[in-house]
Amino acid sequence: MNNISSSGKKYLKFGIMCRDYTFQAWQAQAIRDLISGGHQPMLLIMDDHSPDKSALFDRLQTYPYSHLLYRQYMHHCFRPEAKKMVSLADELRNIPVIRCQTINENFSQYFFPSDISVIREYELDFILRFGFNIIRGDILDAAEYGVWSFHHDDEQKYRGGPPGFWEICFDDPVNGAVLQRLTNRLDAGIILKKGFFKTLFHSYAAHIDRLFFETAPWPLQVANDIIYCGYDSLFREESSSAARIYRTPHNWTMLKFFYKRFRNKITFYCDDLFKAEEWNISIVRMDRQQLFEQDGLVNGGFLPIPVRHTYLADPFVFERNGQLEIMCEEYDYKLSKGIITRFSFDPVTRVVSSRRPAIKEPWHLSYPYILESGGQVYCIPESAGSRQVNVYRLDSETDLFVHFKTILEGIDAVDPTLFQYQELWWLFFTRKHLSDTHLFAYYANDLFGEYKPHNNNPLKTDVCSARPAGAPFIIAGELHRPAQDCSVTYGERVAVNKIIKLDPWHFEEETVKYIEFVKDKEKRMKYHKGLHTISLSGEYIIFDGKRFIFDRYHLWNKITLKLRRIFNL
């Protein structure tokens, strides 16, 4: 049921399952987000079970010693910020409370019919479960849209728990998470929202902080989806997962976990210090249909690196006087900063002109997105350091790009991608915080009009297909959006997403193909460790590739940055 507030805005009424007025920090954030978004908490459903007060000798006899290491680690060593306790007594003190006991059967909790009747009287739209354990039975239908619960794993791989643990144990680079409407099947409910994060192998606490804090806004987003689009617009099929149910790790598993965490931490810091990225650009004669049909990129040479300690990346292209004009980022490790460079490619002679600076600013520039409209050529480079999205226009007389307009201010937009879809202009980007995971969108009626945020940003949370990787293009009459897959490494490959629905209230796309380098050692290119920008122009495809090198300036920059953080400089 949608409710109308005094201001005329729709909102949902929700209940909260909890122990008392204290919540873990990420849970408190989720509740506060809902309240600040206009939704109304109407009932606190508190667990009224008394804590175990059995004698010490009895507890020692029944203690699960096979899980000793896990329990002691969680009690004494594990301190993520997300799990710190926060009191919401001031915010929730005036909310009605019902204290419930349950019938416990086979690890499940069933509510008494009398309590369910009282809960139904509040006509709740949904119940957020931050208390009790595995609940089943009629309580699951006590609110119109059911009981919502988080599962911080991909339910298709890992049911049960603990959250985010088994991905580290099994070297799984991606950690899924779901907000689900509970059913009587464990961690196989109706998926309301799902996302994917990169697994942080070197720190379990940091990994949990990312998982929990970054999913805390999801109840608000789902509630808004219901208001804007209706409950039927959500993915409403019950999960068919038959994945294994994981339980508390045994001592031997914890020993392996400790070893892996130590090994991963050493590897993480060594790679961060000593492995510098070196990107380069390749120009290949291939049309978009061929690109879709073949298994991987195998041919085409790369440009020579201009000078030591620099690289070229993020190529974009436009045609001028029969030549391909290529704009790209030129990054300098000495300066720890990038500029936009331009060069020409003659398709007849296959000669590449010398590079020349195209756009310089005091801040770092990259991803020089090219847009042609009304006979004009515009460049929209990433300038997240300035917290602006700036547009530069090619001057026909001087053949130089000059600043034309700032279309967005106060936002650290990463890889801004501007395109027209149906009757609106859309600006897609990620942001500096988790730049490979959350996709945001703004829209305007005119190309350089006022850009407004999508009603339910971020559009998606997916390390495998969120961050833009080039200009959208048409295949078989449908718009496809290239995006980076950063699940294993930054810019590992390009995911091609077909846009199914896009308007100020809806967004839906599906990944239809991955573009990557072939795995065959005899065929793969010199720069085959990553691919994160691809541009199409007629019968040519221009893309970048990555390899890892040692660079002393990269090492010095990393050491300097770490020292500044340590000493708060």
Side-chain angles (χ1 to χ4, degrees):
M1 67 200 73
N2 289 347
N3 311 280
I4 308 297
S5 68
S6 58
S7 64
K9 182 179 179 180
K10 293 180 179 180
Y11 66 90
L12 299 185
K13 299 189 298 183
F14 66 98
I16 306 168
M17 288 183 172
C18 54
R19 182 71 188 180
D20 50 34
Y21 290 102
T22 59
F23 296 84
Q24 294 180 15
W26 73 277
Q27 297 170 341
Q29 178 185 323
I31 294 169
R32 284 168 171 162
D33 284 349
L34 281 166
I35 295 172
S36 65
H39 305 286
Q40 300 296 318
M42 302 300 294
L43 181 65
L44 301 181
I45 305 167
M46 292 191 178
D47 190 343
D48 200 33
H49 287 88
S50 300
D52 183 13
K53 294 183 179 180
S54 57
L56 175 62
F57 180 75
D58 293 335
R59 295 201 302 271
L60 290 175
Q61 277 191 315
T62 59
Y63 189 88
Y65 291 100
S66 61
H67 306 305
L68 174 67
L69 288 180
Y70 175 78
R71 292 169 70 91
Q72 294 302 309
Y73 170 71
M74 298 300 287
H75 184 69
H76 297 289
C77 304
F78 191 56
R79 296 288 185 271
E81 293 293 322
K83 285 182 168 287
K84 288 186 175 180
M85 302 309 295
V86 174
S87 174
L88 294 185
D90 291 340
E91 291 99 321
L92 303 178
R93 184 66 70 186
N94 295 324
I95 306 300
V97 174
I98 177 173
R99 299 186 182 275
C100 301
Q101 293 192 356
T102 56
I103 303 168
N104 298 329
E105 293 181 5
N106 298 323
F107 303 102
S108 300
Q109 293 180 285
Y110 295 84
F111 280 68
F112 287 96
S114 58
D115 289 334
I116 295 175
S117 295
V118 173
I119 293 170
R120 290 185 189 277
E121 291 176 0
Y122 285 86
E123 298 183 335
L124 302 174
D125 292 298
F126 67 93
I127 298 170
L128 197 56
R129 188 186 75 89
F130 286 148
F132 298 89
N133 292 314
I134 301 172
I135 59 173
R136 289 190 167 99
D138 291 342
I139 186 63
L140 300 179
D141 296 315
E144 181 169 357
Y145 305 126
V147 179
W148 297 0
S149 178
F150 284 91
H151 177 60
H152 288 101
D153 294 296
D154 185 347
E155 91 290 350
Q156 296 293 332
K157 296 180 181 179
Y158 313 98
R159 292 191 292 160
F165 178 89
W166 300 103
E167 287 82 356
I168 296 176
C169 281
F170 298 147
D171 298 320
D172 189 336
V174 177
N175 197 139
V178 298
L179 178 64
Q180 59 184 335
R181 176 176 178 171
L182 291 180
T183 64
N184 284 309
R185 294 188 67 226
L186 178 64
D187 294 331
I190 297 170
I191 305 301
L192 303 174
K193 191 169 183 65
K194 188 169 186 176
F196 299 91
F197 300 85
K198 187 174 180 61
T199 304
L200 300 182
F201 292 112
H202 64 285
S203 172
Y204 186 37
H207 185 51
I208 288 298
D209 279 341
R210 174 178 290 187
L211 278 177
F212 285 21
F213 279 129
E214 297 303 326
T215 56
W218 286 6
L220 172 61
Q221 285 195 286
V222 173
N224 287 343
D225 276 336
I226 292 173
I227 286 177
Y228 293 132
C229 312
Y231 182 70
D232 291 341
S233 68
L234 302 173
F235 177 59
R236 299 188 63 248
E237 293 183 11
E238 186 174 337
S239 173
S240 60
S241 174
R244 172 183 168 184
I245 298 176
Y246 289 86
R247 305 191 188 279
T248 304
H250 288 79
N251 293 331
W252 177 244
T253 302
M254 286 304 298
L255 290 174
K256 292 191 289 186
F257 172 79
F258 293 145
Y259 164 73
K260 282 198 170 186
R261 192 184 62 163
F262 174 76
R263 181 199 65 186
N264 293 338
K265 193 176 290 288
I266 296 299
T267 301
F268 172 80
Y269 286 112
C270 286
D271 288 349
D272 189 49
L273 290 172
F274 300 109
K275 290 177 70 173
E277 293 181 351
E278 184 180 78
W279 293 85
N280 203 354
I281 293 173
S282 181
I283 305 170
V284 177
R285 189 167 186 173
M286 180 191 306
D287 61 34
R288 62 192 64 186
Q289 194 62 42
Q290 289 176 292
L291 180 67
F292 260 61
E293 291 173 354
Q294 70 177 33
D295 294 331
L297 296 171
V298 296
N299 59 343
F302 283 88
L303 303 178
I305 294 296
V307 293
R308 291 185 63 191
H309 312 298
T310 66
Y311 64 68
L312 303 176
D314 296 338
F316 286 88
V317 62
F318 63 96
E319 294 187 29
R320 191 171 180 85
N321 300 324
Q323 294 191 331
L324 300 183
E325 297 293 321
I326 298 172
M327 305 276 284
C328 66
E329 171 196 358
E330 182 173 337
Y331 185 82
D332 189 333
Y333 275 115
K334 291 182 180 179
L335 302 176
S336 192
K337 185 168 116 19
I339 65 169
I340 303 305
T341 291
R342 177 182 173 186
F343 63 92
S344 304
F345 172 73
D346 190 325
V348 178
T349 63
R350 298 188 62 82
V351 172
V352 176
S353 71
S354 59
R355 287 174 285 277
R356 56 197 185 277
I359 305 174
K360 286 185 175 182
E361 295 289 2
W363 51 83
H364 170 75
L365 296 174
S366 63
Y367 196 80
Y369 185 85
I370 293 294
L371 175 68
E372 298 184 65
S373 179
Q376 300 288 335
V377 178
Y378 301 96
C379 180
I380 310 169
E382 177 198 315
S383 53
S386 69
R387 297 183 62 82
Q388 295 176 329
V389 177
N390 294 307
V391 180
Y392 299 79
R393 185 172 62 186
L394 182 63
D395 187 292
S396 58
E397 295 184 359
T398 64
D399 200 33
L400 299 175
F401 281 92
V402 295
H403 185 269
F404 170 70
K405 188 178 180 66
T406 298
I407 59 174
L408 211 58
E409 292 193 77
I411 294 180
D412 50 356
V414 173
D415 295 348
T417 299
L418 184 59
F419 61 95
Q420 188 174 25
Y421 183 74
Q422 296 178 350
E423 297 181 355
L424 294 175
W425 285 92
W426 289 93
L427 180 65
F428 277 24
F429 55 85
T430 59
R431 300 189 64 176
K432 289 293 287 183
H433 174 64
L434 287 188
S435 62
D436 56 4
T437 305
H438 298 308
L439 178 65
F440 293 82
Y442 279 61
Y443 66 95
N445 293 318
D446 302 308
L447 174 57
F448 299 117
E450 178 186 359
Y451 278 83
K452 303 175 182 178
H454 190 276
N455 284 299
N456 218 2
N457 274 326
L459 299 185
K460 69 187 298 187
T461 297
D462 190 354
V463 72
C464 304
S465 63
R467 183 169 176 169
F473 51 84
I474 302 294
I475 293 285
E478 295 180 298
L479 187 64
H480 292 72
R481 184 183 73 89
Q484 294 187 38
D485 178 0
C486 300
S487 56
V488 176
T489 183
Y490 166 65
E492 177 195 7
R493 58 182 180 174
V494 170
V496 179
N497 303 313
K498 182 172 69 175
I499 294 181
I500 299 171
K501 183 183 293 186
L502 174 61
D503 61 40
W505 298 274
H506 304 81
F507 174 72
E508 184 179 353
E509 68 178 9
E510 64 174 340
T511 301
V512 296
K513 181 180 177 59
Y514 288 100
I515 300 172
E516 57 190 331
F517 296 117
V518 294
K519 305 300 182 183
D520 190 335
K521 292 184 178 180
E522 296 182 358
K523 296 181 179 180
R524 68 187 183 191
M525 305 179 187
K526 183 177 181 181
Y527 296 86
H528 65 275
K529 293 295 186 180
L531 165 66
H532 73 355
T533 307
I534 188 164
S535 295
L536 285 66
S537 179
E539 59 183 7
Y540 283 91
I541 295 174
I542 300 93
F543 55 90
D544 54 13
K546 177 177 72 173
R547 66 175 180 175
F548 292 106
I549 61 169
F550 172 78
D551 188 283
R552 67 177 184 270
Y553 291 102
H554 165 81
L555 175 61
W556 174 248
N557 291 336
K558 288 291 184 179
I559 292 174
T560 302
L561 180 62
K562 292 181 186 301
L563 290 175
R564 286 176 178 171
R565 288 175 178 172
I566 291 173
F567 296 104
N568 294 319
L569 298 177

